[in-house]
Amino acid sequence: MKGKIALEECWTIPETFQSFNPSQFAGKGVIGDDLNANLLDVHGKRLQEMDENDVEFMVLSLNAPGVQNVTDPAAAEKLAEIANDKIEAEVLRDPKRFAAFAALSMHDPAQAGRELRRCMSEKKGFVGAMLNDFQSSGPDGNTMLFYDDPKYDEFWKAAHELKAPVYLHPRTSSPLIKEMMWKGRPWLDFSALGYANRLNMHTLGIITGGVLDRFPDLKIIIGHMGEHIPYDLYRIDHKLDRSRFPNMPMRKDRLVRDYFGTQVFITTSGHFSTPALICAMTEIGARSICFSIDYPFESIPNGCCWWDEHVSSVINERDYVDMGRNNALQIFPRLTEGLHGLKEMGPAECGVGGLRAKDGEVTFGMYNKDFNKRGKKIY
Amino acid sequence: MKGKIALEECWTIPETFQSFNPSQFAGKGVIGDDLNANLLDVHGKRLQEMDENDVEFMVLSLNAPGVQNVTDPAAAEKLAEIANDKIEAEVLRDPKRFAAFAALSMHDPAQAGRELRRCMSEKKGFVGAMLNDFQSSGPDGNTMLFYDDPKYDEFWKAAHELKAPVYLHPRTSSPLIKEMMWKGRPWLDFSALGYANRLNMHTLGIITGGVLDRFPDLKIIIGHMGEHIPYDLYRIDHKLDRSRFPNMPMRKDRLVRDYFGTQVFITTSGHFSTPALICAMTEIGARSICFSIDYPFESIPNGCCWWDEHVSSVINERDYVDMGRNNALQIFPRLTEGLHGLKEMGPAECGVGGLRAKDGEVTFGMYNKDFNKRGKKIY
Amino acid sequence: MKGKIALEECWTIPETFQSFNPSQFAGKGVIGDDLNANLLDVHGKRLQEMDENDVEFMVLSLNAPGVQNVTDPAAAEKLAEIANDKIEAEVLRDPKRFAAFAALSMHDPAQAGRELRRCMSEKKGFVGAMLNDFQSSGPDGNTMLFYDDPKYDEFWKAAHELKAPVYLHPRTSSPLIKEMMWKGRPWLDFSALGYANRLNMHTLGIITGGVLDRFPDLKIIIGHMGEHIPYDLYRIDHKLDRSRFPNMPMRKDRLVRDYFGTQVFITTSGHFSTPALICAMTEIGARSICFSIDYPFESIPNGCCWWDEHVSSVINERDYVDMGRNNALQIFPRLTEGLHGLKEMGPAECGVGGLRAKDGEVTFGMYNKDFNKRGKKIY
Amino acid sequence: MKGKIALEECWTIPETFQSFNPSQFAGKGVIGDDLNANLLDVHGKRLQEMDENDVEFMVLSLNAPGVQNVTDPAAAEKLAEIANDKIEAEVLRDPKRFAAFAALSMHDPAQAGRELRRCMSEKKGFVGAMLNDFQSSGPDGNTMLFYDDPKYDEFWKAAHELKAPVYLHPRTSSPLIKEMMWKGRPWLDFSALGYANRLNMHTLGIITGGVLDRFPDLKIIIGHMGEHIPYDLYRIDHKLDRSRFPNMPMRKDRLVRDYFGTQVFITTSGHFSTPALICAMTEIGARSICFSIDYPFESIPNGCCWWDEHVSSVINERDYVDMGRNNALQIFPRLTEGLHGLKEMGPAECGVGGLRAKDGEVTFGMYNKDFNKRGKKIY
């Protein structure tokens, strides 16, 4: 599909390697050739692979856990500022292909709001913010700051006023939790399941904490096909029993389900499952879903093969191009303005649908173009 | 769901009983109390059941086969005219609740266009037209006129210019086909399967005949969850082999699939199947689908129970209210204008989503409101 | 998937070209290189493509309309006999890879039963029969014989006693219907929609005629994802109104839905649609569904790419291998006996599931094996 | 559906109220009339509601966290023994309607195995065991014992030898986690999301720890539609990257997906979502899924209304009765033996499918039995 927009795509600056070296996740050769190099790169291999796979646009964000892992408030604020200035420069080199999410220190809600305002008002490349789950805090890094605490209303108010959607991204455990829970079985801490399990709790905390009610122009986005929430919506709404939890701040006349499509959205990043996509479309609707990859933790060709060759033969054309592109323009109106100037595209413009055979050419089926010989993939 | 709009809802005038008596389908007591009385009624029991089942609005159409069964052109044109004048009067008695599809004789395409123009321009209650499959013609009624014949372009041009969507409705076989095919097994001729099988061919004939290409503002609607077409779209597009059928007039760069959501739409009339609905949503998208009942051949309470109590627990809120109401306003803009003045409604306005428990009230689940006692239905 | 079994795979003998030349459907170059050569071949290119695409076994059947198109009873009976003798010889050359469906003249039910008995009892390569919709009869070929006529009970009794499942296959229209309906738009007569529309009526006629009730060991199979029936089951059962049709012979306490999985089965032949497959799995269950291709009207590589590369990433392993192989052994127990000796296989034996990476090898995703380069298909 | 079997149904003895009072979850009137009374009851209101809702059989288990919350090993072992003796007595009063899961102290794997052996060998009412997530241990109850620790192989070996399936049930957090994570927002700790998030990690720990490989006759069952795992299987298998985690003990040639249907099963307890059920059926197959309620934390009428009235109109008959009953007999063969003697039932025996109208009676649709009046529910 031509014109794809991807929203959860990581990038980093060397400064972050001090507090967190992603190569601990994957040394050279394990995820592509060099994870750290892929993270640092914008206009090189990344852009080339975008071209090769019809990804028109990426919104870049500082690699997780990023600023959320810096326990010293001043250092965290400084890191965010540096990262935001650098990514602005990168975006301005090619604003038709890139935008950015602001990185924010979440130690001080007021300061987070100010930095978000600086990015959204004084700079040209930002379309929202990305927060990597809880903010690590305290001398040993074991204090976890969650943004459903009422003191964060000051931050959410800024996001609401700036119409800056906030993408919530998972991160690794705090040291104490790691020690208590994942010692000897680290694979459980990370992206296989632990990431989603922690972030869906934080997300549900924000929703049930009434943040979206108090700030009705606020939008939040979560990746990985919704961090399990779409599959569990019946149980979530059923078990948030108001007579049992009378102090839960969320509007008494609302279900969690009600926020999808207006204030809560999901992306497909790193979860390229067609049945999960169909389930999510049924439970929260195509308009709540955006394509994303999760580069460089996921392969651009792999995510795009799924979308271009597998999903395209299962999902109707209009929902397909909306999820692949147009929904992002609804959620992030900044993408349609200023330097980016992205426009809605229909199926035909995206190369979707239509008979691809040239006149006189014969069509044998959509899965293998030769009638007699099985196509093999070359790499 | 409050605010439902239903599009395939039959009504008739006594004049039609001469050529076709619906009670042959179902005598007293078989479908409700009296099929013919239900057909003749607008403001009585029909409206009462609409109120009891949250159907805000019905678009009424002359009972099939109606004018399409009248082989004499002059008689057919006269019947259409009478029916249109009468239904206009009925609609004007309560335009907040009713609109109409024009009935048309299809013997003469030019005359059909003129009568459609009369209804859409000189009258206030019409939002489009309904055609009941082929027009019976010839002395023995065995000639079937299909509207993909190029001579009907004159009619389609009028519909396109008037922006009058055309609903295609099934009908019974011609006498000769009935004799050849269904003798001794009449149940195969009708709504169980035969209706859909014939109408999907006619519909595909119109699409592959290039009518929608030549008249890009034309919209067609089919009922019964798409008369099987959504389920079969892969095979339809795959087998309309252009090298085998080089003279097929449809645009060479198009698939049948491409027309859904812009020029082709379906309704749920008479096919209250949730898996079929999910399949259709996947294949053609929620925006191509509208709720409908098929009264009085279907029970209003039965169709609305399905939609209100069964579909509502399966489909996300926004697609649900769009299919139940808003899509109809997109397809038939006349509904938003003039005397009707219908408006888009969100889930909360439609009573969808939200916690229905009052403050302090306990919720035990969405399927049975009492914790300990199984609810029984009373009738 | 290794070990696939395909059930609707055509073959022919030159004698059939007299009454029906398939190349009218597709000249050289349109479907593969030469449709007629593909039909005549068994052990050459067909077997090679089976090997290349992991099709372990094919049940061969005489090309439609075959015997059903021969209006002269004696000639029809002779043609069936010749075809059955020839296909027996072909099967016996390689019984680990091929079995056959008997071709039958349906002019005389008793003779049809006798010929089926000859094939199932005196020969070794037959596992059931295939009937190509109605039998053409009469001097002009316009009489259509349908097998729900009570006189065919004599035939069905034989199939029931022989435990010979009967595959119902679509065919072209009779000359009169062709003239009345499809003149000038032949693409509607064939596989895009017409085939299914006619065969689903005949199938429903047989079921509602009570044939499956009178012969409880009889099984029937239909291709093309069930000729639309799974999508329409709600409406079919709802509209076969017993108070309206008190003479319909089917058991009064049964729905059409009830016969699936025990007496009625479908295959995927020629309809490689994943949403339709999911819909069918929901409505009739995986155990009612078998993989098939429809060679040589469909490409073996295309059908197998769909099954091996697309369906495998959507459907759970056990239903997948059952539909791809094991269900066929349940429906056709002959396949597990005698010369064929096929056995059930689990996912691992079929190469399904499991981590395909060798030790030390890196996995980047299931859709594209290289992290950085998009795989292209070569042909 | 007649003949339903439910597997995750709680019961308790007054002794457990000391360490954990369920009424903290819900005082009188919040979940039914009296949660504690419902937990203590077997043959009274529980059985009456089973009768009223066609639940033929319940496997009872000690209320969570039960023994897993008792930090003193001797006390835990004693409690398990008392509970098992008492539930045996209850089951023997009515073994055609009830069986039990053994409660086990998991402080000492060898002792756990011995107690399981005592229940499975010396008693007649047990069909397996239920473990409530981690075992609380240590003086402050903050040590969490997870059963993927190799020392638990001694326990798993016993379960494997005894062919005793083990149901894994969620529980509340340890005190420290509660303090760190859920202070001020307790609704996140419990069944809305926290339960599943913790148990799916423990379950994945057991699977990836290779327990199922070392004990191939071992089966585990998880409730709540699989605690999110079916929705996330692509990502789980994709992210358990063997080159990154070379020491993960699970078989190198296996995916987590491969264990479903043979060693891992799920139930519907407390998650009455039709789209989630369809997603699970697609991803892990109907044979991996069993009906359950989660009484008395869920209402029997609510869970059964969902299954009997909602699911029945969406899922094919055979998968439906297998999930509702027969799969349980496959997973727990003890249910078919001895005192219980349960047998497989087909759709007709379960009252599923079939035309329910009596001869001469009229059918108007499956959602509302009266043609003209909307059925209201009475309670």
Side-chain angles (χ1 to χ4, degrees), chain B residues 307-323:
Chain B
W307 192 258
D308 296 347
E309 298 174 20
H310 288 255
V311 178
S312 66
S313 69
V314 174
I315 302 298
N316 69 88
E317 298 175 7
R318 276 158 234 286
D319 286 339
Y320 179 69
V321 298
D322 282 357
M323 294 189 291

Side-chain angles (χ1 to χ4, degrees), chain B residues 13-218:
Chain B
I13 52 176
E15 286 84 341
T16 63
F17 294 154
Q18 296 161 358
S19 82
F20 185 87
N21 182 358
S23 72
Q24 75 181 75
F25 283 89
K28 260 187 198 270
V30 172
I31 302 179
D33 296 326
D34 187 332
L35 180 59
N36 287 9
N38 289 346
L39 279 165
L40 293 168
D41 165 63
V42 173
H43 307 283
K45 197 177 74 166
R46 181 189 300 252
L47 190 58
Q48 182 190 326
E49 292 193 10
M50 289 168 64
D51 288 341
E52 288 166 359
N53 293 279
D54 288 327
V55 178
E56 181 178 333
F57 202 89
M58 272 192 181
V59 182
L60 301 172
S61 48
L62 188 66
N63 185 38
V67 185
Q68 268 62 68
N69 206 35
V70 181
T71 53
D72 175 63
E77 291 166 16
K78 185 71 197 160
L79 177 63
E81 205 177 303
I82 293 170
N84 292 334
D85 289 347
K86 288 210 178 173
I87 193 65
E88 166 82 353
E90 298 284 9
V91 165
L92 293 189
R93 279 185 57 193
D94 202 351
K96 297 294 182 208
R97 306 301 294 280
F98 296 104
F101 286 129
L104 299 172
S105 160
M106 293 300 281
H107 290 285
D108 173 354
Q111 190 277 337
R114 283 196 303 274
E115 177 65 9
L116 180 58
R117 194 172 300 271
R118 185 178 79 96
C119 293
M120 294 293 286
S121 308
E122 297 174 25
K123 293 174 179 292
K124 295 193 160 74
F126 290 86
V127 299
M130 178 173 281
L131 304 178
N132 296 307
D133 205 345
F134 61 88
Q135 175 73 49
S136 290
S137 177
D140 53 5
N142 281 323
T143 302
M144 295 176 274
L145 303 177
F146 295 105
Y147 317 136
D148 49 327
D149 188 299
K151 75 176 178 185
Y152 282 98
D153 271 14
E154 193 165 356
F155 165 71
W156 295 117
K157 185 163 184 288
H160 155 90
E161 287 172 358
L162 294 163
K163 297 198 191 307
V166 177
Y167 200 118
L168 300 171
H169 188 284
R171 58 161 296 185
T172 49
S173 296
S174 68
L176 176 59
I177 297 278
K178 210 179 282 281
E179 176 69 22
M180 287 166 65
M181 308 284 287
W182 315 127
K183 207 177 159 180
R185 42 185 200 164
W187 54 87
L188 295 182
D189 188 16
F190 302 120
S191 50
L193 203 54
Y195 276 12
N197 278 352
R198 290 187 298 267
L199 189 64
N200 64 21
M201 296 298 272
H202 197 173
T203 304
L204 197 61
I206 290 167
I207 299 172
T208 58
V211 172
L212 301 178
D213 300 324
R214 292 193 292 282
F215 305 106
D217 284 343
L218 180 64

Side-chain angles (χ1 to χ4, degrees), chain A residues 234 238 241-243 252-255 257-262 278 281-287 314-319 322 352-355 357 359-367, chain B residues 234 238 241-243 252-255 257-262 278 281-287 314-319 322 352-355 357 359-367:
Chain A
Y234 171 86
H238 177 52
D241 193 324
R242 309 305 166 90
S243 45
K252 301 301 177 213
D253 62 344
R254 281 271 178 96
L255 301 173
R257 175 183 297 276
D258 299 340
Y259 297 91
F260 282 88
T262 49
I278 293 173
M281 288 176 66
T282 308
E283 279 286 28
I284 63 172
R287 84 195 68 193
V314 173
I315 303 298
N316 68 88
E317 298 176 8
R318 276 158 233 286
D319 287 338
D322 282 356
V352 172
L355 191 64
D359 204 22
E361 213 179 27
V362 171
T363 56
F364 299 115
M366 67 184 294
Y367 305 103
Chain B
Y234 171 85
H238 177 52
D241 193 324
R242 311 304 166 90
S243 44
K252 302 300 178 214
D253 61 345
R254 282 270 179 97
L255 301 173
R257 176 183 297 275
D258 300 339
Y259 296 92
F260 282 89
T262 50
I278 293 174
M281 288 176 67
T282 308
E283 280 286 29
I284 63 172
R287 85 194 65 194
V314 174
I315 302 298
N316 69 88
E317 298 175 7
R318 276 158 234 286
D319 286 339
D322 282 357
V352 173
L355 191 64
D359 205 21
E361 213 179 27
V362 172
T363 56
F364 299 115
M366 66 184 297
Y367 305 103

